[in-house]
Amino acid sequence: MSHTEPVKVEVGLGDRAYDILIGPGLLSSAGTEIADRLPGTRAAIVTDENVAAAHLETLKAGLEKGGIQAAVITLRAGEKTKSFAHLEEVVDSVLAAKLERRDVVIALGGGVIGDLAGFAAGIVRRGMNFVQVPTSLLAQVDSSVGGKTGINSARGKNLVGVFNQPKLVLADTGVLDTLPIREFRAGYAELAKYGLIDRPGFFAWLEENWQKVFAGGQERTEAIADACRAKADVVARDEFETGDRALLNLGHTFGHALEAATNYDGARLVHGEGVAIGMALAHRFSARLNLASPDDAERVEAHLRAVGLPWRMADISGELPDAEALLGFITQDKKVSRGALTFILTRGVGQAFIAKDVPPSEVLSFLKACHPDGSR
Amino acid sequence: MSHTEPVKVEVGLGDRAYDILIGPGLLSSAGTEIADRLPGTRAAIVTDENVAAAHLETLKAGLEKGGIQAAVITLRAGEKTKSFAHLEEVVDSVLAAKLERRDVVIALGGGVIGDLAGFAAGIVRRGMNFVQVPTSLLAQVDSSVGGKTGINSARGKNLVGVFNQPKLVLADTGVLDTLPIREFRAGYAELAKYGLIDRPGFFAWLEENWQKVFAGGQERTEAIADACRAKADVVARDEFETGDRALLNLGHTFGHALEAATNYDGARLVHGEGVAIGMALAHRFSARLNLASPDDAERVEAHLRAVGLPWRMADISGELPDAEALLGFITQDKKVSRGALTFILTRGVGQAFIAKDVPPSEVLSFLKACHPDGSR
């Protein structure tokens, strides 16, 4: 299928509105796209060693076509980079490059780089321009939309940061062909999430067409664009997460607990996989609470299984802490408000809702019931 | 003069609008004022050792009257506290106190504490509630209005931070009686600045009434309220400093250069004193460029002299770097844009304006002419 023009998704946030461009080859046209929106800008690219090896030269050449010179800040790959120490390093490097407020920080990488570089851009000179060039599927459909940036604290993930909307997102769908399949799948979990929240038609389309999304081509571009539109809709309604935006956490409460329970060991569980299991658990838990039909839970589990994603706790290698300990990770999660448990539950595929005051005792007995060691 | 109700200044920033309350005794009523606006909140007070010794117990008792329990984070006093290391310390302490987004960080102190605590509040959980309780005159008229927060970098002051509007400012005019006179005077320079920018009537009133402002009472409250109103007007027009807000930098370009030239040694020059000399120099420079009458420069100098403020470079103890080196400090200043020199100049008292493209050669010859070692 021939398609040269990227798909454009507009994120409607008033004076913070911006475009997401989605399609193959966008690294090469980055310079003109950025220069059109930020004439005369200089740039600093923040990236990690792995992404730099694969894509940095392409992006730099693309920027030069638009007359944009860029300093480069290359960090080690991995979640540990989202720390105060690396934030200070990036901030200092951007200042050392003598960039001004109207210049731009470009995040070239996955969610870790986007979160860190976006936070740095948000605080250097109290806010510089910021452009996202997400190179993972997860980052293209999730962390590049909505303006959440941040780092981890010893007390939890993403506890420190700012809301900082980019001026532009360039989601080059071609770079996704260089991803390991496991990472692509993990990103796919977040993509499917938008169907499960409030777009049942999108979920049904994915059930039919997921192989084409994995293969690349126009279906991949359209699926990413649909997910970005879905997230942009939620974010436009609730930029600062005082209400509906919490729906985006579908699967994340269980998922974060499982990530914590596996010590964030990516060999055992990466974020998107945690979300996949978390979404399946959220549907199963909703069925147990008689909110949704068990058929919906089965349908979600079947799709995750079909694409090769883990969907139950038993799919995680190695031992897990017991149900009480898992509940402990949940109550430590930042989405706990005033001691009550808030979950994203569902009335069925595409009918997620925010449930406050979920009794911890119900969560515990559910965790016991579906724990792989539950019979012991 | 009896006056029990505080004066209220409203800062009109749409959904970020907030009140500044000004008057004696506000520490004691902090609890009810905060609980009225943020029902059910818990709090963390960020302060320094000196301010804690003088005012912490009063504030804590005041908070308890409103049913507000507060954790306390006490830092060492001084500009060095505005660092990444202390930012991380405050962030971690707020998280350790298990505060949530709807809870409040209270800055009890001068500009350093306000800038640091406001920045921390702006990034913990991507933004918590924030209340300023400024205890210096400088902080009451300047740093508590407008939402600028931040820390220093090795590459310059205030280069890292966020715009973060407080939910409330409590300017207790009674605490100012505990300030050393030199510090009160330094704050007075920023107060007089608002007359010089665009309120000639206020400047004339200060020329008549400054002794009463120093003495305390209703004139002090009114003068602080007028300065806050003046700043709030500018900030409401240009919250993110893309235009008019730069007027607030009157005196600051020369002032920052002199602070840097004295290695930020408070024994030689504190910020408000640098601003005093900077304002006098800005008027004298404007006269030299035939923009304003020398009579206005003389009038400004005379008033600063009358209140006991330094008003010329010769008033700084010890040797200063030569004019070329001073110009170097100016060109390093963050308000340099695209290599051109931007100054706040004036057409006379109350008629300041933003001058872009001031020739560096003019600045240099002016600095030579008024340098205390100029005759050598």
Side-chain angles (χ1 to χ4, degrees):
Chain A
M1 201 177 298
S2 97
H3 185 85
T4 49
E5 279 297 295
V7 173
K8 178 158 76 172
V9 173
E10 295 173 22
V11 184
L13 289 169
D15 58 3
R16 292 182 297 288
Y18 64 92
D19 292 338
I20 305 171
L21 302 184
I22 304 154
L26 281 164
L27 290 185
S28 299
S29 53
T32 47
E33 296 293 352
I34 294 172
D36 276 358
R37 291 163 175 85
L38 304 169
T41 192
R42 291 178 301 155
I45 300 169
V46 180
T47 189
D48 71 38
E49 290 170 349
N50 297 346
V51 174
H55 305 299
L56 180 59
E57 289 312 311
T58 312
L59 177 60
K60 284 182 75 173
L63 290 173
E64 275 163 27
K65 275 191 254 172
I68 299 174
Q69 298 298 316
V72 177
I73 302 160
T74 306
L75 303 165
R76 215 177 295 177
E79 185 78 20
K80 287 207 168 67
T81 300
K82 281 176 62 172
S83 69
F84 255 107
H86 286 97
L87 177 69
E88 184 172 4
E89 179 188 342
V90 172
V91 162
D92 193 63
S93 300
V94 172
L95 288 170
K98 294 188 182 295
L99 298 195
E100 299 169 10
R101 284 175 70 186
R102 64 174 114 173
D103 292 322
V104 63
V105 172
I106 301 174
L108 173 69
V112 168
I113 288 296
D115 286 359
L116 179 70
F119 189 11
I123 65 176
V124 170
R125 300 175 188 274
R126 298 195 189 90
M128 296 178 53
N129 288 321
F130 171 46
V131 166
Q132 290 262 28
V133 185
T135 58
S136 72
L137 177 57
L138 181 64
Q140 290 189 357
V141 299
D142 185 55
S143 44
S144 69
V145 190
K148 280 193 181 179
T149 72
I151 58 175
N152 301 325
S153 145
R155 296 177 194 279
K157 287 182 72 174
N158 298 318
L159 286 178
V160 189
V162 291
F163 288 95
N164 184 24
Q165 304 298 343
K167 296 293 180 200
L168 175 68
V169 177
L170 298 172
D172 186 331
T173 53
V175 305
L176 303 183
D177 289 329
T178 64
L179 290 182
I181 181 65
R182 186 179 166 205
E183 196 181 331
F184 189 92
R185 270 196 208 108
Y188 181 86
E190 291 273 6
L191 187 113
K193 184 185 76 176
Y194 295 100
L196 295 177
I197 291 173
D198 61 358
R199 307 212 166 190
F202 181 50
F203 188 75
W205 184 88
L206 287 174
E207 288 178 309
E208 287 294 312
N209 294 283
W210 67 268
Q211 290 98 334
K212 293 177 188 158
V213 174
F214 276 63
Q218 191 58 19
E219 283 82 2
R220 178 188 286 173
T221 297
E222 285 301 337
I224 294 171
D226 278 348
C228 289
R229 272 183 212 108
K231 180 158 187 183
D233 277 359
V234 175
V235 170
R237 285 205 303 272
D238 179 21
E239 184 176 1
F240 301 112
E241 195 167 4
T242 54
D244 266 9
R245 184 162 175 167
L247 290 171
L248 300 177
N249 293 322
L250 175 63
H252 282 62
T253 305
F254 287 121
H256 282 164
L258 293 171
E259 285 184 85
T262 51
N263 292 311
Y264 301 98
D265 176 357
R268 296 179 65 193
L269 192 74
V270 297
H271 175 70
E273 293 170 342
V275 170
I277 300 174
M279 293 192 300
L281 291 175
H283 280 77
R284 189 57 72 182
F285 187 38
S286 299
R288 185 184 169 96
L289 296 172
N290 291 316
L291 295 164
S293 158
D295 294 347
D296 283 302
E298 173 53 35
R299 187 178 156 198
V300 171
E301 291 163 358
H303 183 56
L304 297 173
R305 203 162 48 230
V307 306
L309 276 163
W311 58 277
R312 57 187 171 181
M313 286 194 260
D315 291 338
I316 302 170
S317 64
E319 284 209 19
L320 284 177
D322 67 16
E324 266 96 3
L326 291 176
L327 181 65
F329 286 117
I330 287 172
T331 58
Q332 278 172 33
D333 195 80
K334 65 178 169 164
K335 281 172 279 301
V336 175
S337 180
R338 296 272 175 245
L341 290 183
T342 296
F343 271 80
I344 311 307
L345 297 178
T346 189
R347 296 192 181 85
V349 166
Q351 299 176 68
F353 66 98
I354 302 167
K356 294 173 180 176
D357 300 317
V358 173
S361 58
E362 289 284 355
V363 181
L364 183 63
S365 63
F366 171 68
L367 286 169
K368 281 181 177 167
C370 58
H371 198 287
D373 304 334
S375 56
R376 285 195 302 185
Chain B
M1 203 175 299
S2 97
H3 186 85
T4 49
E5 280 295 296
V7 173
K8 178 158 78 173
V9 175
E10 296 173 22
V11 184
L13 289 169
D15 58 4
R16 291 181 299 287
Y18 64 93
D19 292 337
I20 305 170
L21 301 184
I22 303 153
L26 281 165
L27 290 185
S28 299
S29 53
T32 47
E33 297 292 355
I34 293 172
D36 277 358
R37 290 165 176 84
L38 304 169
T41 192
R42 292 177 300 155
I45 300 169
V46 180
T47 188
D48 72 39
E49 292 169 347
N50 297 348
V51 174
H55 305 299
L56 180 59
E57 289 313 311
T58 313
L59 177 61
K60 284 181 75 172
L63 290 173
E64 275 164 26
K65 273 190 258 173
I68 298 174
Q69 298 298 316
V72 177
I73 302 159
T74 306
L75 302 164
R76 213 176 296 178
E79 184 79 21
K80 286 206 169 67
T81 301
K82 282 175 63 172
S83 69
F84 255 106
H86 286 97
L87 177 69
E88 184 172 5
E89 180 187 343
V90 172
V91 162
D92 193 63
S93 300
V94 172
L95 289 170
K98 294 187 182 292
L99 297 194
E100 299 168 10
R101 283 176 71 185
R102 61 175 115 175
D103 293 322
V104 64
V105 172
I106 300 174
L108 174 69
V112 168
I113 290 295
D115 285 0
L116 179 70
F119 189 12
I123 64 175
V124 171
R125 299 175 188 276
R126 299 198 187 89
M128 295 178 54
N129 288 321
F130 171 46
V131 167
Q132 289 263 27
V133 185
T135 58
S136 71
L137 178 56
L138 181 63
Q140 291 189 357
V141 300
D142 185 55
S143 43
S144 68
V145 190
K148 280 192 181 182
T149 72
I151 58 175
N152 302 325
S153 146
R155 297 177 193 278
K157 288 182 71 173
N158 298 317
L159 286 179
V160 188
V162 292
F163 287 95
N164 184 23
Q165 303 298 343
K167 296 294 179 198
L168 175 68
V169 176
L170 298 173
D172 186 329
T173 53
V175 306
L176 303 183
D177 290 329
T178 64
L179 291 181
I181 180 64
R182 185 177 167 206
E183 197 181 331
F184 189 93
R185 269 197 208 109
Y188 182 86
E190 291 273 4
L191 189 120
K193 184 185 77 177
Y194 294 99
L196 296 177
I197 291 173
D198 60 358
R199 307 212 166 190
F202 181 50
F203 188 75
W205 183 87
L206 287 173
E207 288 177 310
E208 285 296 310
N209 295 284
W210 67 269
Q211 290 98 334
K212 294 177 190 161
V213 175
F214 276 64
Q218 193 57 21
E219 284 82 1
R220 178 188 287 174
T221 297
E222 287 300 338
I224 293 171
D226 279 348
C228 288
R229 272 183 213 109
K231 180 158 187 183
D233 278 358
V234 174
V235 169
R237 284 205 303 271
D238 178 22
E239 184 176 0
F240 301 112
E241 195 167 3
T242 54
D244 266 8
R245 185 164 176 166
L247 288 170
L248 300 177
N249 292 322
L250 175 64
H252 282 61
T253 304
F254 286 121
H256 281 163
L258 293 171
E259 284 184 85
T262 51
N263 292 310
Y264 301 98
D265 176 357
R268 295 180 66 193
L269 191 74
V270 296
H271 175 69
E273 293 170 342
V275 170
I277 300 174
M279 292 192 301
L281 290 175
H283 280 77
R284 189 57 72 183
F285 186 39
S286 300
R288 184 184 169 95
L289 296 172
N290 291 317
L291 295 163
S293 156
D295 294 348
D296 282 304
E298 172 53 37
R299 189 177 156 199
V300 172
E301 291 163 0
H303 183 58
L304 297 173
R305 201 161 51 230
V307 306
L309 276 164
W311 57 277
R312 57 188 171 180
M313 286 195 262
D315 291 338
I316 302 170
S317 66
E319 285 211 16
L320 285 177
D322 66 16
E324 266 97 2
L326 290 176
L327 180 65
F329 285 116
I330 288 173
T331 58
Q332 276 172 35
D333 195 80
K334 66 176 167 165
K335 280 173 280 299
V336 175
S337 181
R338 296 269 176 250
L341 289 183
T342 297
F343 271 80
I344 312 307
L345 296 178
T346 188
R347 297 191 180 86
V349 166
Q351 300 176 69
F353 66 98
I354 302 167
K356 293 174 178 175
D357 300 318
V358 173
S361 58
E362 288 284 354
V363 182
L364 183 62
S365 64
F366 172 68
L367 286 169
K368 282 182 177 166
C370 59
H371 198 288
D373 303 334
S375 57
R376 283 195 304 185

